[in-house]
Amino acid sequence: MEKKFALNDVQKKAVESVGKPVLIFAGAGTGKTRVLTHKIAYLIQESGYKPEEILAVTFTNKAAQEMKLRVRKLLGLSSVGVNIGTFHSTCARLLRMEIAPLGFTQDFAIYDTADQQALIKEVMANLKLSLEGVTSRSVRSRISLLKNQMESPGKAADAASSPFEEIVAKVFLAYVNALKKNNALDFDDLLLYPLSLFDQYPKVRAKYQKKFKYVLVDEYQDTNRPQFLFVKALTENDNQICVVGDDDQSIYGWRGADISNILEFEKSFPDCEVFKLEQNYRSTETILTSAAQVVANNQYRAAKKLWTEGKKGEKIGLMQTLDEQEEAEGILELLEKEILQYKRTFRDFVILYRTNAQSRALEEAFRRRGIAYTIVGGIKFYERKEVKDLLAYLRLLVNPADTVSLKRIINFPPRGIGIKTVNKCETYAAKKGLPLVEVLQSPDVLGLKGKQATGLVEFYQIIKKYTDLMPKLSASELVGVLVDELGLVSFYKEQADADASERLENVHELVNSVHAFCEQKEDAGIREFLEEVSLLMDIDKWEDTSNSVTLMTLHSAKGLEFPVVFIAGLEDGLFPIVRSFDDPRDMEEERRLFYVGLTRAKERAYLHYATDRRRSSGVMGYGMASRFLQEIPEESLERIIFQSAITRRYVREKGSDSYTLKQVRTVTSFNDMQRGDRVEHKIFGKGMILSVDGAGENQKISVIFRGNVRKKLIAKYANLRRL
């Protein structure tokens, strides 16, 4: 059993504060998860709360699983009945039980971003709405923001002041109706509909106030208005609430998070107790003080001063390069140096960047060197076409009203059903007031014959057959036989596409994931599996057990830590992003994002910027160093000189007389070691550098070791450690 209260004084006081609302400002690396989990244990063991009376909410499934594991260890139990989950999963469970009065069934589908865009595209086509530059993606994004701000379609229409906003308002109303017709909710609805139930049905609100007698919220600085109102409604009677967060790590304003929720907590919950966790257990003093000095330039923040008893640590490396290719090479040179000098492994490193597009140059460099890497935030497994196709079958079985899923798979695998046929079916279904799926069994009434008619009946019979089989088979068995019936194995094997084998592997992996889900949750079925999948985030699938370098955006990195952090692309206009220049609030959020990135580092941090990075248009632009770099004390920085050159040579291709022009980038300058540096060698012991000859890969170093032993070593392979 884990030691019950291995806490510092402030942490202990925060844990033991019960009876009043509690606000805990937890700076980066100050042990907020430890405090949260100890508080849950304290509530159960010392304050008389039953586990099932406690609700703890956070923002990622990964964080929720970590909390569950720690609480179990603290209580010495194999399982614990505390309700721990994300806001979305908590609300989804509530809605499965209570949503009927709002006109949905408990089998409602949860639409992800791609599904939402597909439905919005259909709505826009039906309304015959078009405007140059307006896409289903941009409309979906704006509707999501309006929902986060709790704006209704009517209010959006009244407030519209541009052609784009007028289109959004019209689509918004039609989209809401289309979702209801499809018995579907989007992510924002999962947060909004519980509030509708609480407002319209006081008995439902009272039921959950009684059920959840103590509420804890992690990452409170990231809550939006619906999330604030949700926890406020649950705790409005006795204010038994504890929130933990850090306003300096509020980085999701662009998706509706409201930093004022944490900064004005005392107004919303009067007579609250406030605790500030300021002792950092993660980073070196240099990293911590540098990050703190940058974020201190923000005006809208709570006063706090982080400190550490840890070592001062190395200076922060700052490297200027010519372009993104040279930046990638510079990062790899530093990475290899860290491995040689400090015996690090690939999993010790993370490379952070502001936008996903920046990963391309880094990936190319990693592939050239044969270094293993993992990208967080690429195409998610559950968003791959072949995976979504099979998931769409499962979703249609659970929710026959889901026309988005139906249209996706009605001709997959190909069965001769075209768009015109589908449109004809839709028109007839609307005219007769029938579900679209029911129309498919009678193609003759639509005047359809031949291939189209056969295909429709075949599709309907598959859906009907497996809908009937659902209660009789486990989720694992049903998915296995469905894949066989659809002939997906032979379908992908017969394709000449080079990616077909990978697609088939992904189908097998999905089947395996259903098997694993069923083993973990014996009573769970297809509906529960689909719900879990729909609420997964990028970071939930990332595992730090594989020995590979991690590449991810700065937004994805919050909550993680690594021995060594590289932040790439530190140029004004890229980071901070150019759209933040005109709004001080947006600039403050960018600064907080930099603070988050730098405080992921435990031991070393390297910052990189390029003067001629290629822009999205393909044009090279002069890059000015990020203003955030100017806010780091000069004495905390070590400026690293790095230059490379491109050499071109013709290489003969195997088994051919033809030649290909290859471009190779070689290092021409890299200041690893300097004359006078004191160093240590694994075999020769301690010594001092007498001279450095050449540069880059062929750089030679003369060293005098104890006993007047002189050695001339190649820098790249010397494995010297600077003392």
Side-chain angles (χ1 to χ4, degrees), residues 390 393-394 397 465-466 469-470 473-489 504 507-516 518 526 529:
L390 185 50
Y393 272 99
L394 302 181
L397 298 180
K465 174 181 177 180
Y466 285 91
L469 280 173
M470 264 205 306
L473 299 178
S474 70
S476 178
E477 293 168 332
L478 187 137
V479 172
V481 293
L482 178 61
V483 167
D484 288 341
E485 175 128 356
L486 293 174
L488 294 184
V489 174
L504 181 56
V507 169
H508 288 319
E509 182 59 29
L510 177 59
V511 174
N512 291 337
S513 69
V514 178
H515 290 329
C518 290
I526 292 292
F529 172 76

Side-chain angles (χ1 to χ4, degrees), residues 3-56:
K3 188 177 178 183
K4 191 173 175 184
F5 291 123
L7 305 168
N8 64 37
D9 289 343
V10 181
Q11 290 174 332
K12 192 170 186 293
K13 287 176 182 176
V15 164
E16 295 178 351
S17 176
V18 180
K20 292 182 178 181
V22 174
L23 167 61
I24 304 173
F25 282 109
T30 57
K32 71 175 179 63
T33 305
R34 175 177 288 273
V35 170
L36 266 176
T37 52
H38 275 74
K39 191 168 186 74
I40 292 171
Y42 184 86
L43 290 169
I44 295 169
Q45 295 185 324
E46 307 293 337
S47 297
Y49 284 91
K50 296 176 182 177
E52 61 271 18
E53 294 174 339
I54 299 170
L55 171 66

Side-chain angles (χ1 to χ4, degrees), residues 33 67-68 100 141 218 233 299 341 349 523 557 585 620 658:
T33 305
M67 286 175 66
K68 288 178 184 177
S141 180
D218 188 19
Q299 301 300 309
Q341 289 193 351
F349 304 97
D523 298 329
R585 292 171 300 179
M620 304 296 283
S658 61

